[in-house]
């Protein structure tokens, strides 16, 4: 009898462990799905901009004169928001630039805002959106303008990847809070949420890679930055960025030969809001 009770106990423990492991795998699968298709923020009023209807995917917002084919200046700013953001991230700075007679395109990233796509791509897919929007904008001009590419967080990484794909499209670049290497960034994200998260949440990474078809070890904006040397570049780091360490910014600056600007007391992706006037000044300087 004692042997049977002990056997039943171990069997129950085994079933419990199997159940817990199954729940863990399901939870990891769900998290991977959630990371690829994050909750969407509603796009606020964009009264100063015109919705671009002849780019089906992704949707974009642009300065009205540009959409009408009556560009106002000799500089085009292509602006890219980050993960879980919307075009509203650059709304105010874009308005400031338009007030200086500059043209602006704000790109909605795949899987965000009003995009018809149901998942993001953490960089490569977004870089294609950047290229598509830039080509559309340039088609509105009779004389090619200077093109300044501006991106924050994942949008910044996508911006660097876009310059590698089509360097001829861009004349200057500014990125804030961009990752240098996706693999490192993912490990940092997980560790930031849970001690040792890169290990305990590894199945989340594996599931996300399989769902998206991307290999994080091969997505390295810092390699793209190496091909940028000789062109104007500004790499922005927010001092209190707990998500993307300063090492990412320093490596991008060193690789590209660009300047590094550290915004004091700012958190991840908050630079544009915390230092709006300085940001606009820097973006105008990049186009000179």
């Amino acid at each position: 009898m004692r042997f049977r009770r002990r056997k039943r106990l171990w069997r129950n423990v085994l079933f419990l462990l199997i159940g817990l492991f199954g729940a863990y795998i399901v939870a990891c699968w769900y998290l991977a799905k959630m990371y690829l298709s994050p909750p969407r923020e509603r796009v606020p009023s964009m009264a100063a901009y015109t919705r671009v209807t002849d780019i089906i995917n992704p949707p974009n917002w642009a300065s009205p004169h540009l959409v009408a084919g009556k560009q106002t200046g000799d500089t085009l700013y292509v602006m890219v928001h980050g993960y879980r953001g919307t075009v509203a991230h650059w709304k105010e700075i874009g308005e400031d630039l338009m007030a200086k007679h500059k043209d602006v395109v704000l790109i909605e990233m795949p899987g965000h805002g009003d995009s018809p796509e149901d998942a993001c791509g953490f960089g490569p897919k977004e870089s294609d959106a950047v290229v598509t929007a830039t080509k559309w904008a340039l088609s509105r001009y009779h004389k090619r303008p200077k093109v300044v590419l501006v991106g924050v967080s994942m949008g910044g990484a996508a911006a660097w990847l876009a310059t590698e794909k089509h360097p001829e499209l861009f004349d200057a670049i500014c990125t804030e809070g961009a990752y240098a290497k996706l693999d490192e960034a993912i490990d940092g994200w997980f560790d930031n949420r849970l001690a040792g998260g890169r290990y305990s949440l590894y199945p989340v990474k594996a599931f996300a890679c399989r769902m998206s078809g991307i290999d994080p070890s091969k997505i390295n904006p810092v390699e793209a930055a190496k091909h940028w040397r000789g062109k104007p570049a500004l790499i922005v780091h927010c001092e209190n960025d707990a998500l993307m360490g300063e090492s990412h910014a320093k490596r991008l600056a060193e690789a590209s030969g660009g300047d590094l600007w550290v915004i004091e007391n700012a958190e991840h992706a908050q630079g544009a809001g915390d230092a709006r006037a300085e940001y606009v000044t820097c973006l105008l300087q990049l186009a000179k």
Side-chain angles (χ1 to χ4, degrees):
M1 291 292 293
R2 185 178 301 174
F3 173 77
R4 289 181 179 177
R5 285 197 299 270
R6 187 175 299 172
K7 183 177 180 180
R8 189 180 304 115
L9 174 63
W10 281 111
R11 184 179 61 187
N12 291 340
V13 169
L14 178 62
F15 286 160
L16 176 62
L17 292 175
I18 291 173
L20 290 174
F21 180 74
Y24 164 71
I25 293 298
V26 170
C28 288
W29 177 87
Y30 176 78
L31 285 173
K33 192 80 172 176
M34 186 180 68
Y35 280 128
L36 289 174
S37 302
R40 301 192 186 209
E41 293 186 27
R42 179 174 296 179
V43 178
S45 173
M46 300 287 288
Y49 299 85
T50 298
R51 179 69 178 269
V52 180
T53 57
D54 53 350
I55 296 181
I56 304 302
N57 190 15
N60 298 273
W61 296 82
S63 45
H65 281 82
L66 180 62
V67 178
K70 301 176 181 178
Q71 60 277 8
T72 58
D74 59 358
T75 307
L76 168 68
Y77 289 87
V78 179
M79 313 187 82
V80 196
H81 69 76
Y83 180 74
R84 295 192 68 174
T86 71
V87 290
H89 181 90
W90 296 114
K91 177 176 178 286
E92 287 78 14
I93 285 186
E95 290 172 356
D96 292 342
L97 291 170
M98 286 191 286
K100 299 289 185 179
H101 306 292
K102 308 300 181 183
D103 293 315
V104 176
V105 174
L106 307 182
I107 306 175
E108 196 76 88
M109 292 288 91
H112 291 74
D114 294 331
S115 170
E117 295 198 34
D118 60 3
C120 69
F122 289 101
K125 185 192 297 186
E126 289 73 14
S127 67
D128 291 337
V130 170
V131 169
T132 298
T134 304
K135 287 183 176 179
W136 168 84
L138 288 175
S139 73
R140 316 298 291 176
Y141 286 84
H142 300 296
K143 181 180 179 181
R144 189 191 187 285
K146 287 186 177 179
V147 179
V148 181
L149 185 52
V150 187
V152 62
S153 191
M154 180 183 70
W160 283 113
L161 296 174
T163 66
E164 186 175 35
K165 291 178 177 178
H166 287 276
E168 76 283 357
L169 293 178
F170 311 103
D171 301 291
I173 186 171
C174 172
T175 62
E176 174 195 332
Y179 63 78
K181 295 187 175 183
L182 181 56
D183 227 3
E184 293 180 14
I186 292 174
D187 289 343
W189 293 338
F190 288 163
D191 287 346
N192 185 261
R193 285 158 175 74
L194 180 69
R198 70 178 65 190
Y199 305 111
S200 58
L201 296 176
Y202 180 80
V204 178
K205 180 178 177 180
F207 281 132
C209 292
R210 186 173 182 83
M211 292 175 186
S212 63
I214 65 174
D215 180 354
S217 67
K218 296 181 179 179
I219 302 173
N220 303 309
V222 70
E223 297 300 322
K226 292 178 181 178
H227 301 290
W228 186 260
R229 298 190 73 89
K231 291 183 178 182
L234 176 64
I235 291 79
V236 184
H237 174 71
C238 294
E239 184 181 34
N240 297 333
D241 190 337
L243 188 61
M244 207 65 63
E246 189 174 0
S247 64
H248 288 275
K250 286 182 175 179
R251 280 181 287 170
L252 287 169
E254 181 180 355
S256 66
D259 296 323
L260 176 62
W261 174 28
V262 179
I263 302 178
E264 296 181 357
N265 302 317
E267 298 181 359
H268 180 73
Q270 297 302 309
D274 291 356
R276 176 176 167 181
E278 296 92 332
Y279 230 115
V280 172
T281 299
C282 288
L283 293 179
L284 291 171
Q285 287 292 331
L286 274 177
K288 290 184 177 180

